Amino acid sequence: MSTSTKHNITRGGQFLVKETKSEDIFTPEDFTEEQKMMRDSVIEFVDREIWPNKERFEKKDYALTEEVMRKAGELGLLGVAVPEAYDGLGMGFVTTMLVCDYISGATGSVATAFGAHTGIGTMPITLYGTEEQKKKYVPKLATGEWFGAYCLTEPGAGSDANSGKTKAVLSEDGKHYLISGQKMWISNAGFASVFIVFARIEDDKNITGFIVENDPKNGISLGEEEHKLGIHSSSTRQVFFNETKVPVENMLSERGNGFKIAMNALNVGRIKLSAACLDAQRRIITEAVKYANERVQFKTPISKFGAIKSKVAEMATACYVDESAAYRAAKDIEDRIAIRQEEGNSHQEAELKGVEEYAIECSILKVAVSEHCQNTTDEGIQIFGGMGFSADTPMEAAWRDARISRIYEGTNEINRMLSVGMLIKKAMKGQVDLLGPATAVKDELMGIPSFDTPDYSILFSEEKEMIEKLKKAFLMVAGSGVQKYGPELEEHQQLLMAASDILIQIYMAESAILRTEKNAKRFGEDTQKEQIAMAKLNLFHAVEKIQTKGKEAISSFAEGDEQRMMLMGLKRFTKYANLPNVIALRNTIADKVTAENKYCF
Ligand SMILES: Cc1cc2nc3c(=O)[nH]c(=O)nc-3n(C[C@H](O)[C@H](O)[C@H](O)COP(=O)(O)OP(=O)(O)OC[C@H]3O[C@@H](n4cnc5c(N)ncnc54)[C@H](O)[C@@H]3O)c2cc1C
């Protein structure tokens, strides 16, 4: 096995039932020299081309976004995920995440343009295109000669993406499809040369994907730029197709396969979106801390006040947790792709299946990181006080830009429900054994709890035990939900949302603990004092949330003795032997960040 596939990777969704060892996960501290060089050159690009122009991005300078995208193309940054055979850099999944992470930190306008082009605008062709389609379109997209956009959403078809009314009618000579319909909220529409368009053929159950070249003479017209809350220089327009002639050879994959293509492109889009919310957080934390160190009130820098320390610590913790989970999942995907290739899959097939396998983790990350980013920008404003509300400081735009991440690439509600829904489907298919562990939890609840006091002197021994217990809490809640409602569980959305919140907390908390444990083991515990504090602080929040969501779920479907037993179980599964001193943890973290005057992990 190659080095990249050495570690025992946890298969998609299995984190819940299989113990993951810290040495088996990838962390940002594992970046190779090549990856670090890539990161530094992206940071340098952003600091030169984007950050100093932040004001122009707020003034709807769409041309600037296009210019930055072209320059990114010249540097090869648009082709990191594209195989070398199609003029890309052919880099691994982790590197593609890294580029997406660092290029997105300065403004949501570039983040969106980059994500829409390299992700949903290009990936459907690299993942599903024929050799001819890939040769024709991908090199142009990889180099930035052409830009791509993705036309799925319609006025009547948003979350219900398969319900679109756009039609594709085969011409009499059988050589073309004539596409007619209205697409809306299309990112990059204003400067795209190629559209990935989803349309329905006859009365097909599922839509079909097409590659459509932008040609105004071919029945394609654009609406005006949308006036948006944020991402002001990201081009967002309606796209109208009026009997647009598309050669039959431009169909993507097979007839009726469009919904699958759309969803798989979104899986990649979701994990990349989580990456795109990382450097934004780092930069906001750094700006907020710099301000807090300079701003004096009551003859004291405000960074010295406990109320501000608490915010700084929570912001840094959220970002650290997000990095831990995003790169853990990215490497699992990369390794899975490598294993599939070793088994004889083509790169295309391996990538498709590799990402699809981790669709649950992709949804979890999309929700968790977009919400952390939103919260961090909000607290950033608060730290800046009145100045935070001013368009002259970076917080105001960051706050508005962050808002979109909870909406596109599938709203956070849809992704919450998907994460649990997909997990249950995997269990039904026998890909993840949930039933066995769920039954074991039930048996455990009937038994007498152990009153031993374990030895918690080893780093994270109590925390890791807690993670195992939290997994039991999820299995208890979700397992009983499935038992109670069977296929009708789908109708019980509030229960699914509660279960999904539990699931999200577990993955994120476990990732931060494993990253820190791995680093403590190799670099020494004393070098990880603040990271240990962050992992513990985050776990404390996770436990609190799981208690609340668990109670909400249990009380919705269980009554009397059953309810009492499950609530007792929940209490047992969320009980600390040694409650962490949350305030002390926050102080440790905030002191480090304010001393360094930046996000420093
Ligand atoms: C700036 C921007 C850029 C975009 N870029 C693109 C792009 O490039 N290409 C593209 O195709 N689309 C794009 N979109 C569209 C985006 O993906 C959709 O807006 C999103 O999927 C939600 O669809 P909708 O707006 O129709 O909301 P709706 O689907 O109408 O949802 C409204 C609310 O109802 C909730 N809801 C909907 N269905 C359910 C359900 N079954 N159960 C529970 N709650 C539900 C949602 O979570 C949401 O809170 C973009 C949107 C914006 C704003």
Side-chain angles (χ1 to χ4, degrees):
M1 240 183 203
S2 71
T3 46
S4 66
T5 55
K6 255 186 193 149
H7 82 236
N8 300 314
I9 69 169
T10 309
R11 305 288 301 263
Q14 278 192 344
F15 71 91
L16 201 59
V17 286
K18 189 171 168 259
E19 191 197 342
T20 306
K21 297 217 180 318
S22 63
E23 54 269 29
D24 290 334
I25 73 154
F26 181 84
T27 78
E29 291 71 26
D30 293 308
F31 288 145
T32 61
E33 284 311 310
E34 192 188 19
Q35 284 166 338
K36 284 184 199 156
M37 269 165 55
M38 195 69 184
R39 177 190 62 192
D40 293 345
S41 65
V42 176
I43 294 175
E44 202 239 320
F45 176 74
V46 172
D47 285 341
R48 189 180 65 235
E49 303 288 343
I50 309 176
W51 188 260
N53 291 321
K54 271 175 79 71
E55 228 174 274
R56 285 173 65 194
F57 283 109
E58 291 323 300
K59 298 208 170 108
K60 305 192 176 173
D61 193 340
Y62 305 104
L64 179 59
T65 301
E66 193 181 337
E67 187 189 318
V68 165
M69 286 289 286
R70 261 187 223 293
K71 286 182 178 165
E74 282 159 18
L75 288 177
L77 300 177
L78 302 181
V80 272
V82 171
E84 284 166 288
Y86 309 102
D87 292 357
L89 299 180
M91 292 191 159
F93 202 82
V94 171
T95 309
T96 70
M97 283 281 283
L98 193 111
V99 171
C100 185
D101 172 349
Y102 285 92
I103 206 164
S104 302
T107 165
S109 296
V110 172
T112 302
F114 182 85
H117 170 75
T118 57
I120 51 184
T122 304
M123 290 301 272
I125 311 180
T126 53
L127 292 181
Y128 287 96
T130 60
E131 198 48 41
E132 291 70 38
Q133 289 169 345
K134 286 193 281 184
K135 276 200 182 121
K136 183 166 179 195
Y137 295 105
V138 177
K140 287 193 168 73
L141 293 166
T143 52
E145 187 183 336
W146 280 15
F147 291 110
Y150 174 87
C151 301
L152 177 65
T153 307
E154 299 184 11
S159 302
D160 188 6
N162 200 28
S163 69
K165 290 197 168 62
T166 298
K167 284 274 171 204
V169 179
L170 191 62
S171 62
E172 273 179 18
D173 60 7
K175 288 189 175 152
H176 293 91
Y177 279 97
L178 294 172
I179 294 186
S180 299
Q182 178 183 3
K183 296 289 177 177
M184 79 182 296
W185 300 119
I186 307 308
S187 301
N188 293 355
F191 61 97
S193 310
V194 58
F195 297 111
I196 306 296
V197 182
F198 296 91
R200 194 176 310 279
I201 300 173
E202 296 172 346
D203 289 327
D204 286 0
K205 180 163 164 268
N206 288 322
I207 49 181
T208 300
F210 295 91
I211 306 169
V212 181
E213 291 180 27
N214 186 5
D215 177 4
K217 293 196 281 302
N218 187 16
I220 300 177
S221 55
L222 302 179
E224 290 298 311
E225 287 289 350
E226 301 288 347
H227 297 290
K228 308 188 294 291
L229 172 71
I231 56 168
H232 278 172
S233 288
S234 160
S235 171
T236 321
R237 295 184 173 205
Q238 296 201 44
V239 184
F240 301 90
F241 298 94
N242 184 9
E243 303 212 325
T244 300
K245 251 172 116 176
V246 181
V248 284
E249 57 271 20
N250 275 27
M251 183 189 283
L252 263 177
S253 178
E254 290 160 20
R255 175 172 172 174
N257 223 8
F259 189 56
K260 197 163 179 209
I261 299 173
M263 292 305 111
N264 272 323
L266 285 175
N267 284 334
V268 183
R270 283 166 188 157
I271 185 165
K272 293 274 172 80
L273 178 58
S274 76
C277 292
L278 292 176
D279 202 48
Q281 290 185 68
R282 292 187 202 102
R283 284 180 185 258
I284 286 154
I285 296 164
T286 296
E287 291 301 309
V289 170
K290 280 202 293 200
Y291 184 83
N293 276 336
E294 279 167 21
R295 175 73 176 163
V296 173
Q297 286 292 280
F298 304 96
K299 300 198 178 84
T300 315
I302 60 167
S303 59
K304 297 241 182 297
F305 295 130
I308 300 295
K309 281 187 179 192
S310 159
K311 292 185 196 306
V312 169
E314 296 291 355
M315 289 156 86
T317 299
C319 185
Y320 178 77
V321 170
D322 292 349
E323 289 172 346
S324 313
Y327 285 101
R328 169 191 184 184
K331 181 68 165 140
D332 281 342
I333 291 173
E334 181 172 300
D335 285 353
R336 203 64 210 129
I337 293 170
I339 290 170
R340 281 191 164 272
Q341 278 186 292
E342 282 162 19
E343 287 170 357
N345 278 180
S346 67
H347 175 81
Q348 189 167 357
E349 205 170 28
E351 177 138 2
L352 192 61
K353 296 284 176 204
V355 179
E356 197 181 7
E357 179 174 328
Y358 290 90
I360 297 168
E361 287 80 355
C362 293
S363 281
I364 289 176
L365 280 161
K366 194 274 179 183
V367 173
V369 185
S370 64
E371 292 181 4
H372 280 160
C373 189
Q374 176 91 79
N375 197 45
T376 290
T377 55
D378 197 65
E379 292 290 44
I381 290 186
Q382 202 66 17
I383 290 175
F384 270 69
M387 284 309 286
F389 204 63
S390 159
D392 294 334
T393 68
M395 293 300 145
E396 182 259 2
W399 183 81
R400 288 185 289 97
D401 281 5
R403 189 61 185 83
I404 186 59
S405 299
R406 288 167 54 201
I407 298 171
Y408 58 20
E409 307 276 345
T411 64
N412 282 15
E413 293 73 30
I414 296 291
N415 272 292
R416 276 191 160 85
M417 287 182 290
L418 270 177
S419 62
V420 178
M422 289 186 294
L423 187 64
I424 293 171
K425 264 199 200 126
K426 277 199 166 206
M428 304 275 187
K429 283 193 197 157
Q431 291 166 343
V432 177
D433 177 22
L434 287 187
L435 197 66
T439 315
V441 172
K442 275 220 147 147
D443 293 345
E444 189 181 331
L445 284 181
M446 308 292 244
I448 302 161
S450 153
F451 292 105
D452 294 349
T453 320
D455 174 9
Y456 289 131
S457 57
I458 296 171
L459 177 68
F460 288 140
S461 43
E462 176 162 11
E463 287 74 16
K464 283 166 67 180
E465 191 181 286
M466 180 65 92
I467 291 283
E468 290 315 304
K469 291 193 294 184
L470 296 179
K471 290 178 184 178
K472 289 179 185 175
F474 176 85
L475 289 167
M476 176 179 78
V477 169
S480 305
V482 172
Q483 225 173 26
K484 203 116 245 158
Y485 298 120
E488 263 98 71
L489 183 62
E490 263 183 39
E491 312 297 321
H492 297 266
Q493 286 198 347
Q494 297 193 51
L495 174 55
L496 282 177
M497 303 282 274
S500 140
D501 278 329
I502 298 175
L503 188 68
I504 291 169
Q505 293 299 328
I506 292 170
Y507 189 69
M508 302 305 285
E510 182 181 68
S511 301
I513 288 169
L514 293 177
R515 171 184 179 183
T516 316
E517 186 187 28
K518 184 175 185 182
N519 289 334
K521 276 185 186 163
R522 57 183 163 171
F523 307 132
E525 244 178 85
D526 48 335
T527 68
Q528 303 293 307
K529 203 169 105 217
E530 295 82 18
Q531 289 88 335
I532 291 169
M534 288 191 284
K536 287 186 175 182
L537 176 62
N538 179 66
L539 180 65
F540 174 81
H541 292 315
V543 171
E544 292 283 298
K545 182 134 202 184
I546 291 171
Q547 271 170 355
T548 308
K549 291 292 162 185
K551 275 186 211 159
E552 200 179 296
I554 292 165
S555 59
S556 79
F557 62 70
E559 287 177 338
D561 281 348
E562 191 195 7
Q563 186 189 91
R564 266 189 292 280
M565 189 185 71
M566 289 181 74
L567 288 176
M568 247 163 51
L570 183 67
K571 206 167 167 187
R572 207 196 288 176
F573 296 145
T574 52
K575 189 165 177 276
Y576 272 106
N578 305 290
L579 197 65
N581 179 345
V582 169
I583 294 176
L585 293 175
R586 287 203 200 105
N587 285 340
T588 301
I589 303 159
D591 288 348
K592 172 77 174 172
V593 179
T594 43
E596 297 277 336
N597 209 23
K598 62 177 190 205
Y599 178 78
C600 53
F601 304 107

